[in-house]
């Protein structure tokens, strides 16, 4: 598969990943190389990764706990201390080997340690391959509020080796699929339809689709790296989805949702808002609802849950001047940004989701 050139770096695939990385390591004169893993990727991905890289100097492995609840400044502090204790300097390289939590948090740690060191993302989950590792967004949660602290700063390369997906649990695969479906919804109806027709998520079928998703996202990022306009489209389903995800993280009564599960609910609800305000047809709305409900099921939100989730909407990063701004669909494949909707429609959107 062809490499994809991005803003200041490239995204490489399969065997090409290791060739590019080995050349880069050989020619870059790094003083130290750190590999950030979590407790899962340490076991399931690191051995394969190490077997493929050739480097003279010793590598330092830093492990963090796995899971969204560890995507915090406390974890960053621990890693900054480890880097410091292990003599990290400004010519250090950090390789983030993991899912979206590791690539987001590791990118932020690298962007801020000694005012910024080089980093490479090696995504090991479907979600990190098609979304988190690409496009320079780095950061952590503030309490349970998603991605409130961070910077946009690009990695030196992204290496996508889909064989890491062989050990990924099924629910994590489904979580990543939600971001791929989102790419179709905002940019390409044909891609959406092909994903809807997928019978199962096997790696050989997914390889080309992963490449397509990254290409779709990367084109948006190249045109609008700092999210001044078009890039906001990538937040379709995320305004309500992030609020739902944060609420569930903090609430013992509701099961913690994976990111893709939360934005699947968000995409149904924001589909409803799109129908009411931006001209999305009823036929397409029903198709969106049926697709996400079939794959992700449904969460029962009480009235109390709804009002708490509504309160969390004010933390969305697209908001300004106290107004909640949505990315909404005109039709499948076409998305508008900065749409403001009446509050009562949010209540209706929850009802539509539950129906
Ligand atoms: N995950 C959305 C973006 O990178 O803009």
């Amino acid at each position: 598969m062809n490499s994809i050139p991005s803003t200041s770096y490239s995204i490489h695939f399969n065997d090409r990943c290791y060739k590019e990385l080995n050349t880069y390591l050989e020619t870059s004169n790094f003083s130290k190389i750190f590999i950030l893993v979590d407790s899962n990727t340490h076991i399931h991905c690191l051995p394969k990764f190490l077997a493929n890289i050739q480097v003279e100097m010793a590598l330092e492995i830093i492990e963090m706990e796995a899971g969204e609840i560890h995507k915090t400044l406390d974890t960053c502090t621990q890693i900054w201390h480890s880097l410091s204790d292990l003599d990290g300097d400004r010519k250090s390289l950090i390789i983030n080997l993991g899912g979206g939590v590791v690539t987001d948090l590791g990118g932020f740690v690298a962007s801020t340690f000694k005012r910024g060191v080089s980093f490479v993302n090696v995504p090991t989950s479907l979600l990190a391959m098609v979304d988190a590792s690409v496009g320079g967004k780095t950061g952590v949660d503030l309490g349970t509020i998603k991605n409130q602290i961070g910077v946009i700063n690009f990695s030196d390369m992204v290496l996508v080796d889909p064989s890491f997906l062989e050990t990924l649990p099924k629910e994590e695969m489904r979580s990543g699929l939600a971001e791929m479906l989102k790419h179709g919804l905002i940019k390409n109806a044909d891609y959406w339809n092909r994903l809807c027709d997928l019978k199962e998520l096997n790696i050989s079928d997914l390889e080309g689709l992963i490449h397509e998703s990254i290409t779709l996202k990367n084109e948006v990022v190249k045109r609008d790296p700092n999210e001044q306009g078009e890039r906001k489209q990538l937040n379709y389903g995320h305004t309500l989805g992030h609020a739902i995800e944060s609420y569930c993280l903090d609430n013992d009564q509701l099961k913690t949702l994976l990111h893709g599960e939360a934005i699947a609910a968000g995409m149904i609800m924001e589909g409803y808002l799109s129908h009411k305000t931006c001209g999305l047809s009823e036929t397409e709305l029903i198709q969106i609802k049926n697709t996400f409900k079939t794959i992700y099921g449904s969460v029962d939100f009480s009235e109390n849950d709804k009002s708490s989730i509504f309160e969390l909407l004010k933390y969305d990063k697209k908001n300004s001047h106290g107004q909640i701004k949505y990315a909404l669909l005109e039709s499948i494949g076409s998305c508008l940004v900065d749409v403001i909707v009446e509050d009562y429609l949010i209540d209706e959107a929850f009802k539509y989701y539950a129906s």
Side-chain angles (χ1 to χ4, degrees):
M1 263 181 292
N2 291 339
S3 296
I4 301 175
S6 188
T7 43
S8 52
Y9 67 97
S10 286
I11 303 147
H12 304 291
F13 294 84
N14 297 327
D15 293 347
R16 179 88 186 263
C17 292
Y18 303 106
K19 285 198 191 98
E20 293 287 339
L21 180 62
N22 286 327
T23 307
Y24 173 71
L25 296 180
E26 202 179 295
T27 53
S28 298
N29 193 28
F30 287 115
S31 54
K32 284 257 171 190
I33 299 173
F34 297 93
I35 305 182
L36 178 65
V37 291
D38 69 19
S39 30
N40 293 325
T41 60
H42 200 161
I43 299 168
H44 297 297
C45 305
L46 185 64
K48 176 191 165 87
F49 181 72
L50 291 178
N52 279 288
I53 61 170
Q54 291 140 16
V55 63
E56 299 291 312
M57 71 179 85
L59 302 163
E60 302 284 1
I61 312 299
I62 300 179
E63 183 187 306
M64 61 175 281
E65 292 294 317
E68 187 72 32
I69 53 162
H70 298 289
K71 192 176 165 185
T72 61
L73 276 176
D74 280 347
T75 305
C76 293
T77 304
Q78 287 165 24
I79 299 170
W80 286 318
H81 276 298
S82 301
L83 292 169
S84 199
D85 294 345
L86 293 164
D87 300 326
D89 64 19
R90 295 188 78 177
K91 279 297 289 174
S92 301
L93 172 72
I94 301 179
I95 299 176
N96 300 315
L97 179 70
V101 173
V102 170
T103 59
D104 278 11
L105 183 145
F108 180 67
V109 163
S111 302
T112 45
F113 183 68
K114 309 248 181 201
R115 298 210 177 94
V117 300
S118 297
F119 67 102
V120 165
N121 282 339
V122 187
T124 58
S125 71
L126 185 57
L127 188 132
M129 287 178 192
V130 297
D131 185 34
S133 70
V134 175
K137 282 192 179 172
T138 75
V140 294
D141 302 337
L142 185 61
T144 53
I145 317 276
K146 294 270 303 174
N147 302 335
Q148 293 287 293
I149 311 294
V151 294
I152 292 182
N153 183 32
F154 296 97
S155 58
D156 285 11
M157 53 176 71
V158 176
L159 307 176
V160 179
D161 177 352
S163 72
F164 283 124
L165 300 177
E166 280 160 16
T167 54
L168 197 70
K170 268 206 169 68
E171 60 274 16
E172 293 280 354
M173 291 291 277
R174 285 190 315 149
S175 179
L177 177 67
E179 292 286 1
M180 299 170 78
L181 288 161
K182 178 200 76 182
H183 291 147
L185 286 177
I186 62 168
K187 283 290 177 207
N188 186 326
D190 169 65
Y191 181 61
W192 157 262
N193 287 326
R194 280 185 285 125
L195 289 174
C196 290
D197 288 343
L198 272 183
K199 295 281 171 281
E200 54 184 310
L201 298 179
N202 65 58
I203 296 171
S204 56
D205 292 345
L206 276 177
E207 283 195 5
L209 296 166
I210 292 170
H211 193 276
E212 267 185 89
S213 246
I214 295 174
T215 304
L216 283 171
K217 172 167 181 178
N218 185 52
E219 287 305 313
V220 176
V221 171
K222 280 199 298 189
R223 287 191 289 269
D224 181 20
N226 293 312
E227 202 170 287
Q228 299 303 301
E230 185 183 355
R231 187 166 181 174
K232 294 178 193 172
Q233 293 177 5
L234 292 166
N235 294 303
Y236 175 67
H238 284 61
T239 308
L240 279 153
H242 270 160
I244 290 168
E245 188 179 358
S246 294
Y247 181 69
C248 292
L249 267 176
D250 211 15
N251 185 303
D252 295 339
Q253 310 301 315
L254 287 170
K255 157 174 141 13
T256 296
L257 297 179
L258 293 174
H259 178 68
E261 294 168 332
I263 63 156
M267 285 191 272
I268 296 175
M269 293 183 199
E270 292 182 20
Y272 180 82
L273 300 180
S274 302
H275 173 58
K276 288 290 173 181
T277 61
C278 296
L280 179 74
S281 71
E282 190 168 9
T283 315
E284 292 196 327
L285 173 62
I286 291 169
Q287 198 197 352
I288 292 170
K289 182 178 171 184
N290 289 345
T291 302
F292 286 115
K293 284 230 167 172
T294 305
I295 305 172
Y296 301 94
S298 194
V299 184
D300 286 329
F301 296 109
S302 67
E303 285 305 315
N304 192 35
D305 296 334
K306 280 189 225 172
S307 46
S308 303
I309 291 166
F310 188 79
E311 281 302 302
L312 288 169
L313 292 174
K314 68 171 182 248
Y315 298 107
D316 191 83
K317 294 186 297 307
K318 296 184 299 310
N319 298 347
S320 63
H321 307 88
Q323 285 182 312
I324 299 165
K325 295 184 176 167
Y326 292 83
L328 297 178
L329 303 174
E330 291 180 293
S331 61
I332 292 180
S334 174
C335 187
L336 301 175
V337 298
D338 292 336
V339 184
I340 296 166
V341 307
E342 303 268 5
D343 288 353
Y344 76 90
L345 286 176
I346 309 297
D347 192 48
E348 287 188 11
F350 270 96
K351 291 197 172 100
Y352 178 73
Y353 172 77
S355 66

